Amino acid sequence: GSTMMAQISAPNVNYVQIDSLVVMKIVKHVDSELYAGMSEIAGEACQGLLTGLVAVEDGRLEITNCFPTARAEPMLEADDGTNQANQQHEEIKHAEMIDMLRKFRNMNIDYELVGFYQAHPFSACFNQEMAESLFEYQSSVTDGVVLIYDPVKTRQGQLSFTAYRLSMPALTLFHKGDWTPESVKAAGITFETMFEELPVVIKNSHLVNVMVAELSLAPSLRTNEKLGAHLELGTKRSLEKCVRSMMVNIDEMNKSIQAFSKYQMDKQKHDANVNTQMQKREIENEQRRARGEPALSMDDIRKMKGPILGTRNGMLDALLTSLDTQSLCDFATKVTGENVAKLFLAEGLAEIKASKA
């Protein structure tokens, strides 16, 4: 255990710098999979690996390259044969990744694994699989991060990349594998302190800067551009999807709250029972001492098994669901705010047109 704890050391970086080429590769990968509907079929996030280097003195994590991870074949019937096939597929995937990194090294490209990326609509990325993968990365790569790309926001005209890492208390709890209410409280973890968000900077090469400058100077592109595109209220479908996801999460939260309330009641009963037994034993021991007999031990009472929180992963699921819900709320708030502003703008334009007519 001590060697593992030695690896969980405080991170050195405080911001993430992404190469513009990496941004384009991720957007292209995610878009091609989304159009093919692969995320829906496979039931897992569209994801890949990030390579780069750590500039410790500047506190910077540079992401200079990325490649998608191969998808597992969707299996319909999970019998022993398919499980074995899945395991082989996982091994092949891992071998491919190692091979790719070896090729990067031979070609003198940054080959250090610095994390992974995933695509999640509305940036609602918080689930057990993502958190555990991040823990594994941060255990082996001190400055490992997960980069979350939001295809919905990006299609609405705002490129959305967010970088997260687990906070030190959350890392320690993951290492212990102990998410009981007492441990979470002792570690001081709330859903707001479980992850740390890192600022993301996109770095353009000189060539990209020249191209952007040329594009902004080209008159033909500007005149043909549809000016109304940014004023369209084309968010109805995504907002509906966002609210549906939020409703699912709220149901989960209610279940967690019910389980926690039951746990608290059971714990109070258990504590009261232990207390009563201890007092009885103490009175009995006083009588024994008076008779010159040895006192009885209290250990068996102390070892009485307390209640267990009736959720699958202790408090972990509730924390992740809270984070997910917050992401969805942020998206809904932002979009509705923008829509209201657009409506006022459209109203103003209509009035101007009417007065001119």
Side-chain angles (χ1 to χ4, degrees):
S2 58
T3 54
M4 188 69 172
M5 282 307 287
Q7 286 177 315
I8 299 177
S9 45
N12 306 302
V13 301
N14 45 38
Y15 78 100
V16 174
Q17 177 184 297
I18 318 174
D19 234 60
S20 52
L21 177 69
V22 174
V23 171
M24 288 186 251
K25 279 169 84 170
I26 293 174
V27 172
K28 183 175 183 293
H29 168 215
V30 174
D31 267 16
S32 61
E33 286 210 2
L34 277 180
Y35 282 124
M38 280 178 80
S39 297
E40 258 99 71
I41 298 165
E44 58 178 33
C46 177
Q47 57 193 357
L49 299 170
L50 301 169
T51 60
L53 46 104
V54 179
V56 178
E57 60 283 354
D58 301 329
R60 180 177 71 239
L61 176 68
E62 287 184 30
I63 298 171
T64 54
N65 214 326
C66 67
F67 54 95
T69 48
R71 276 203 179 278
E73 292 298 317
M75 302 290 184
L76 296 175
E77 291 168 27
D79 54 32
D80 291 343
T82 39
N83 283 344
Q84 205 175 347
N86 269 341
Q87 203 175 344
Q88 281 174 339
H89 186 83
E90 283 295 318
E91 283 167 13
I92 292 166
K93 259 171 44 173
H94 190 71
E96 279 175 0
M97 179 190 86
I98 300 294
D99 185 49
M100 179 75 83
L101 292 176
R102 196 176 291 122
K103 283 175 179 155
F104 274 17
R105 184 186 281 186
N106 293 344
M107 289 161 72
N108 220 3
I109 301 171
D110 297 329
Y111 60 87
E112 193 181 328
L113 263 187
V114 291
F116 61 105
Y117 68 86
Q118 285 188 345
H120 289 274
F122 323 116
S123 300
C125 58
F126 301 99
N127 55 46
Q128 195 187 345
E129 192 188 0
M130 179 276 238
E132 284 179 350
S133 299
L134 192 51
F135 165 65
E136 281 172 27
Y137 269 90
Q138 283 181 250
S139 299
S140 54
V141 182
T142 307
D143 294 298
V145 294
V146 59
L147 195 63
I148 303 298
Y149 166 66
D150 181 355
V152 177
K153 275 188 200 163
T154 305
R155 280 188 190 175
Q156 288 172 5
Q158 296 170 317
L159 183 65
S160 173
F161 277 97
T162 326
Y164 292 109
R165 67 176 171 220
L166 286 163
S167 64
M168 288 305 285
L171 265 178
T172 314
L173 270 202
F174 259 110
H175 180 247
K176 288 179 186 165
D178 175 13
W179 290 92
T180 55
E182 288 79 15
S183 301
V184 172
K185 191 179 175 186
I189 291 178
T190 65
F191 74 97
E192 288 160 319
T193 59
M194 192 174 166
F195 287 86
E196 292 170 359
E197 188 185 329
L198 291 160
V200 172
V201 177
I202 294 173
K203 182 177 181 258
N204 288 332
S205 69
H206 301 312
L207 291 170
V208 171
N209 287 334
V210 168
M211 186 186 79
V212 170
E214 281 199 3
L215 284 174
S216 64
L217 291 170
S220 57
L221 288 166
R222 273 214 313 268
T223 47
N224 294 340
E225 190 186 353
K226 274 170 60 189
L227 284 170
H230 290 294
L231 295 176
E232 280 177 24
L233 296 170
T235 48
K236 187 169 168 251
R237 255 182 63 213
S238 57
L239 199 57
E240 190 180 319
K241 214 172 179 182
C242 172
V243 174
R244 279 183 195 282
S245 304
M246 224 185 291
M247 284 159 74
V248 171
N249 279 0
I250 296 298
D251 285 346
E252 286 297 312
M253 291 292 288
N254 276 333
K255 283 178 197 165
S256 297
I257 290 165
Q258 283 166 5
F260 188 70
S261 303
K262 185 181 181 303
Y263 168 79
Q264 275 188 311
M265 281 165 65
D266 291 349
K267 187 154 173 39
Q268 279 171 350
K269 280 181 197 165
H270 170 76
D271 290 349
N273 183 25
V274 168
N275 213 3
T276 313
Q277 299 272 18
M278 294 278 258
Q279 283 171 348
K280 274 187 189 171
R281 182 67 53 92
E282 191 54 52
I283 293 164
E284 198 181 330
N285 279 344
E286 274 177 29
Q287 291 169 351
R288 289 176 73 90
R289 277 194 285 271
R291 294 199 298 268
E293 294 171 9
L296 295 168
S297 168
M298 298 269 194
D299 285 355
D300 56 327
I301 300 171
R302 286 197 192 99
K303 283 177 184 167
M304 278 167 68
K305 231 176 160 51
I308 294 169
L309 183 66
T311 54
R312 201 179 33 165
N313 300 306
M315 298 288 282
L316 179 61
D317 289 353
L319 290 166
L320 293 170
T321 311
S322 304
L323 279 160
D324 230 38
T325 312
Q326 189 176 22
S327 300
L328 294 164
C329 285
D330 290 348
F331 177 84
T333 312
K334 199 163 190 295
V335 165
T336 44
E338 284 172 1
N339 281 357
V340 169
K342 285 175 188 175
L343 285 169
F344 276 118
L345 203 63
E347 196 179 38
L349 287 169
E351 280 173 10
I352 292 166
K353 271 189 178 175
S355 64
K356 279 183 181 174

